[in-house]
Amino acid sequence: MEFILLLTASLIPLFITAAILFYYNSILTRALSMFLVTVSFWQADISFLYAEPLFGADTVDILFRAFRIGTIFVMPAVYYFSYLLVKEAAQSKFVQRMNRFGLIFSLIVSVLVYAVNLTDLGIAGYAHINAEKFSPSYLLPLYGALSWTFKIDVVLVFVNSIYLLIITLWLKNVRSRKFHLTLVLSSLLIFINGVLSGFFVIPLYFSSLNTIFIAMILFIGFFQMQSSQMKKMNRRLERQSGLLQSIMQINPHYLLVQDKKNRIVEVNDAFCSLFLITKKDIIGEEFSFEQLEMPESEYEGIHYLKDERGKNHLIRWEKRVLHDYYGDYYTIYFGVDVTEEKQNEQLLIASEKYKVLGDMAASVAHEIRNPLTTIRGYFQLSHEKAPKSPLQSIVIEEIDRINEVLKELLLLSKPQAQVGPAKLSDPIGIIHESKNLHLLFEAMANKQNKEIILENRLPSEQWIRMDQMHFKQVFINIVKNALEAVKEKGKVKIILDSNQSYLRVRIIDNGNGMTKERLAKIGQPYFTSKEKGTGIGLTICYKLIKDTNGEITVKSKLNHGTTVTFLLPRDRGTGSLSHQ
């Protein structure tokens, strides 16, 4: 009966070992498990001394010698804790080598002592101890000639325990230090209890009962340390999760995460801002990409979206599937806004077109100037012989303007650095120039059964500092486009007024107007809706107005007409028309 109780008690450290390894599998848990296994074998070894009535003396001798592996190898098991702590903390190679030497030395000593234990030099026989009041009968080992090896092993156990105690006191981690102190004190109690039992100070079976109590203390201490470490790791994970959440929220790309059930688990602020929604509106909702209702754009793999504010976006959407440790997976959709990138690409394309245009302009200007010079010469000669007419002066001026336009073509896409101070243009009167140009187009409009009206809302002549030829070129180009846009009996209206420090010219037609797509491309080189158009007229106008620090805007509505407005800085340093 005593044997069964003691053997059962010796199994408790094994159950604790199995529980520890089941929940935690690390170097520390394996070290603790080895220690508890040696303690369990040690206590099983003691229980066999009470098993003579069941097995007989010979069987007890075999079992006792075999299970003394726990009693003897508890010494290197204790040293292994010190070995792990020194290995983790020490940086010196010499200390590391000495640490390994200490572990190997303790193992060799234990192997030699265990070998002696298997011979009569270790255990010579057994004495039968009769039962007393508080102690049942048992067999007492009689040690042989080499029993001093057992004493060396016991001494080394205490030395290793003290060595571990010293190392433990140097630990900086409070939780780890607390556990290792519990381990050292528990092992010392076990060893002291074993020594006292061996010298008959207390009954032999008391060591088994104390071992159960101490194993439970180690078990509780270990799980307290693991629980503290888990709490610390959870707090660290919470901080990391918060950091990742912050990174996700400040990410300028549009991010959406859904689980394997297609439910939304996370979106970032950029995504919410794009679709004008809040997280609580969509978290937990089922999601498919088609719900975003974004058609394919003209660019491959890029979707078009017009948000609630009316702003257009070009977004490249991609997705990735992420697998976690437990086998679940999440799909992350991320959209990159490439609107500005595509606009820059269009600017680059436009720049290349400007370069081609410059090369073409050089050859075209040369071919046109020669016959133009001849035409002007003959017209000037006939003008001098015939009676003078205002229309003749206008024709000569327009021929000169054509010549100047040819020069400006070279500056359209190949502007050159200006050496020295810029030459200021002479101021021109905007009312005077507009009336002359209106006169030029009036005959053309009448012939086409269209009406062109000049409405002057300025109180007196106003001046702008702009090259006269440039002004005429812009004016004629825009008015010509307006006349071409209106149908028969259509109307083009030219309004002159002022807007703060600017003089404003508005050219309004009641033609068919333009779509938003066509309006967005106005001013780009080579873009034209005309069958024989070149697409460079408005491009030149934009550049000429910009060169004078002015502004040009185009507004249009389909089936209602178009309004072109250009603002020109007012020149306040001029007086009357005589300055021309």
Side-chain angles (χ1 to χ4, degrees):
M1 182 65 180
E2 295 82 3
F3 162 70
I4 294 175
L5 290 176
L6 293 175
L7 182 64
T8 303
S10 68
L11 295 177
I12 293 177
L14 290 180
F15 294 144
I16 294 176
T17 298
I20 291 174
L21 290 177
F22 180 78
Y23 288 103
Y24 304 97
N25 188 6
S26 63
I27 295 178
L28 178 61
T29 56
R30 290 194 290 270
L32 180 60
S33 299
M34 285 190 295
F35 175 75
L36 291 175
V37 168
T38 57
V39 171
S40 176
F41 279 32
W42 182 0
Q43 300 311 311
D45 177 57
I46 294 174
S47 70
F48 289 124
L49 295 176
Y50 292 86
E52 183 186 12
L54 291 176
F55 302 125
D58 292 339
T59 303
V60 168
D61 177 54
I62 295 172
L63 293 173
F64 180 75
R65 290 176 188 269
F67 276 82
R68 273 180 65 81
I69 189 172
T71 308
I72 295 171
F73 277 86
V74 76
M75 184 265 292
V78 172
Y79 183 84
Y80 188 61
F81 285 98
S82 305
Y83 169 80
L84 292 177
L85 294 176
V86 173
K87 181 182 178 181
E88 181 179 354
Q91 298 180 353
S92 170
K93 292 184 178 180
F94 174 76
V95 175
Q96 293 284 8
R97 285 196 295 268
M98 292 302 296
N99 190 40
R100 286 193 295 271
F101 172 77
L103 179 62
I104 295 172
F105 175 77
S106 63
L107 286 172
I108 292 174
V109 170
S110 295
V111 169
L112 293 175
V113 173
Y114 186 69
V116 171
N117 162 76
L118 298 176
T119 66
D120 292 339
L121 295 175
I123 299 175
Y126 298 90
H128 184 82
I129 306 299
N130 295 321
E132 297 180 0
K133 184 176 181 180
F134 297 103
S135 176
S137 62
Y138 63 93
L139 295 178
L140 178 67
L142 300 176
Y143 296 104
L146 295 180
S147 61
W148 54 269
T149 58
F150 302 147
K151 295 177 182 179
I152 291 176
D153 187 75
V154 171
V155 170
L156 289 177
V157 167
F158 284 99
V159 170
N160 287 343
S161 298
I162 295 173
Y163 176 55
L164 177 60
L165 176 63
I166 294 172
I167 295 176
T168 299
L169 294 175
W170 284 90
L171 289 177
K172 295 181 180 180
N173 189 309
V174 177
R175 298 176 183 85
S176 180
R177 183 169 67 240
K178 184 177 179 180
F179 168 73
H180 282 87
L181 282 174
T182 303
L183 173 67
V184 171
L185 294 177
S186 299
S187 61
L188 286 174
L189 286 174
I190 293 174
F191 304 147
I192 292 172
N193 184 45
V195 171
L196 293 178
S197 299
F199 287 97
F200 309 104
V201 177
I202 58 175
L204 188 61
Y205 63 86
F206 270 28
S207 63
S208 296
L209 300 178
N210 289 337
T211 300
I212 297 173
F213 176 71
I214 291 169
M216 294 299 296
I217 292 177
L218 285 174
F219 180 74
I220 295 172
F222 173 78
F223 273 93
Q224 284 180 340
M225 181 186 69
Q226 291 296 323
S227 177
S228 299
Q229 290 180 347
M230 289 294 293
K231 290 179 180 178
K232 183 178 179 181
M233 290 175 62
N234 287 336
R235 288 195 295 269
R236 184 180 301 170
L237 288 173
E238 287 177 1
R239 290 195 297 268
Q240 291 178 349
S241 177
L243 177 61
L244 292 175
Q245 185 75 11
S246 300
I247 293 174
M248 181 176 180
Q249 296 309 323
I250 64 175
N251 195 313
H253 301 322
Y254 312 117
L255 303 177
L256 180 144
V257 184
Q258 66 174 169
D259 60 15
K260 62 182 180 181
K261 296 182 179 180
N262 296 329
R263 293 175 303 190
I264 298 174
V265 296
E266 188 60 70
V267 292
N268 69 342
D269 292 342
F271 186 93
C272 294
S273 177
L274 178 66
F275 293 98
L276 289 181
I277 54 177
T278 61
K279 286 187 179 181
K280 65 180 182 179
D281 293 334
I282 60 173
I283 295 296
E285 298 292 329
E286 290 191 3
F287 169 79
S288 64
F289 186 78
E290 290 72 19
Q291 292 176 246
L292 298 180
E293 296 181 355
M294 291 189 298
E296 287 276 353
S297 69
E298 57 186 296
Y299 304 101
E300 183 179 357
I302 297 177
H303 294 78
Y304 170 79
L305 173 69
K306 185 174 184 179
D307 62 22
E308 297 293 334
R309 308 176 188 87
K311 185 178 179 180
N312 296 322
H313 298 269
L314 293 173
I315 303 175
R316 179 186 292 112
W317 285 98
E318 297 184 25
K319 70 175 182 178
R320 294 287 187 276
V321 177
L322 306 177
H323 297 271
D324 64 12
Y325 178 79
Y326 300 101
D328 290 335
Y329 65 89
Y330 297 86
T331 304
I332 177 170
Y333 291 89
F334 52 96
V336 181
D337 198 317
V338 295
T339 308
E340 186 174 348
E341 176 186 334
K342 293 303 177 184
Q343 289 174 347
N344 291 337
E345 287 180 4
Q346 291 301 317
L347 289 175
L348 182 60
I349 293 172
S351 176
E352 292 298 321
K353 289 180 179 178
Y354 277 129
K355 290 174 63 178
V356 175
L357 181 62
D359 295 336
M360 291 173 57
S363 59
V364 171
H366 176 73
E367 294 298 328
I368 294 177
R369 276 179 178 175
N370 291 334
L372 190 64
T373 303
T374 304
I375 292 172
R376 191 189 187 287
Y378 280 109
F379 194 88
Q380 179 70 32
L381 183 61
S382 64
H383 174 62
E384 292 175 355
K385 294 181 179 180
K388 293 185 178 181
S389 169
L391 290 177
Q392 291 178 333
S393 299
I394 292 175
V395 171
I396 293 177
E397 289 179 4
E398 294 309 312
I399 292 176
D400 292 339
R401 193 183 68 80
I402 293 173
N403 192 42
E404 293 297 325
V405 168
L406 293 175
K407 294 179 182 178
E408 293 301 325
L409 279 175
L410 297 175
L411 299 176
L412 178 62
S413 61
K414 293 185 177 180
Q416 298 178 354
Q418 200 163 19
V419 180
K423 180 182 179 182
L424 293 176
S425 302
D426 292 330
I428 60 174
I430 193 169
I431 298 177
H432 174 74
E433 294 296 334
S434 299
K435 285 182 178 180
N436 284 342
L437 294 170
H438 173 257
L439 179 63
L440 180 66
F441 279 101
E442 196 170 27
M444 183 188 300
N446 291 334
K447 184 178 179 181
Q448 298 176 3
N449 196 18
K450 300 175 183 178
E451 185 179 3
I452 182 167
I453 303 170
L454 175 62
E455 182 179 328
N456 177 28
R457 298 179 183 177
L458 296 172
S460 60
E461 183 65 272
Q462 302 293 320
W463 308 90
I464 57 173
R465 193 170 290 277
M466 181 179 183
D467 188 274
Q468 185 182 30
M469 294 303 164
H470 289 175
F471 178 80
K472 288 183 177 181
Q473 183 176 354
V474 173
F475 195 101
I476 291 174
N477 202 310
I478 295 175
V479 173
K480 180 175 177 293
N481 287 343
L483 282 173
E484 291 175 350
V486 299
K487 299 178 181 179
E488 191 174 352
K489 296 184 180 180
K491 182 185 295 185
V492 175
K493 192 173 186 178
I494 305 168
I495 301 176
L496 306 178
D497 58 8
S498 61
N499 180 11
Q500 296 180 355
S501 60
Y502 287 89
L503 296 177
R504 182 168 61 179
V505 179
R506 285 181 289 171
I507 301 172
I508 307 169
D509 69 68
N510 60 354
N512 291 329
M514 291 179 285
T515 62
K516 292 182 179 180
E517 290 74 15
R518 286 180 55 192
L519 186 62
K521 297 182 179 181
I522 288 294
Q524 295 183 7
Y526 300 106
F527 173 75
T528 180
S529 59
K530 302 175 185 178
E531 184 178 350
K532 297 182 179 180
T534 61
I536 64 174
L538 277 178
T539 304
I540 297 174
C541 292
Y542 270 80
K543 185 178 187 302
L544 295 178
I545 293 294
K546 184 179 179 181
D547 287 346
T548 60
N549 296 319
E551 298 177 12
I552 182 169
T553 58
V554 181
K555 294 182 179 180
S556 185
K557 189 174 182 181
L558 197 62
N559 300 323
H560 286 77
T562 302
T563 300
V564 179
T565 304
F566 49 96
L567 302 176
L568 300 169
R570 189 196 307 264
D571 185 74
R572 302 183 182 276
T574 55
S576 64
L577 189 61
S578 62
H579 285 81
Q580 292 290 339

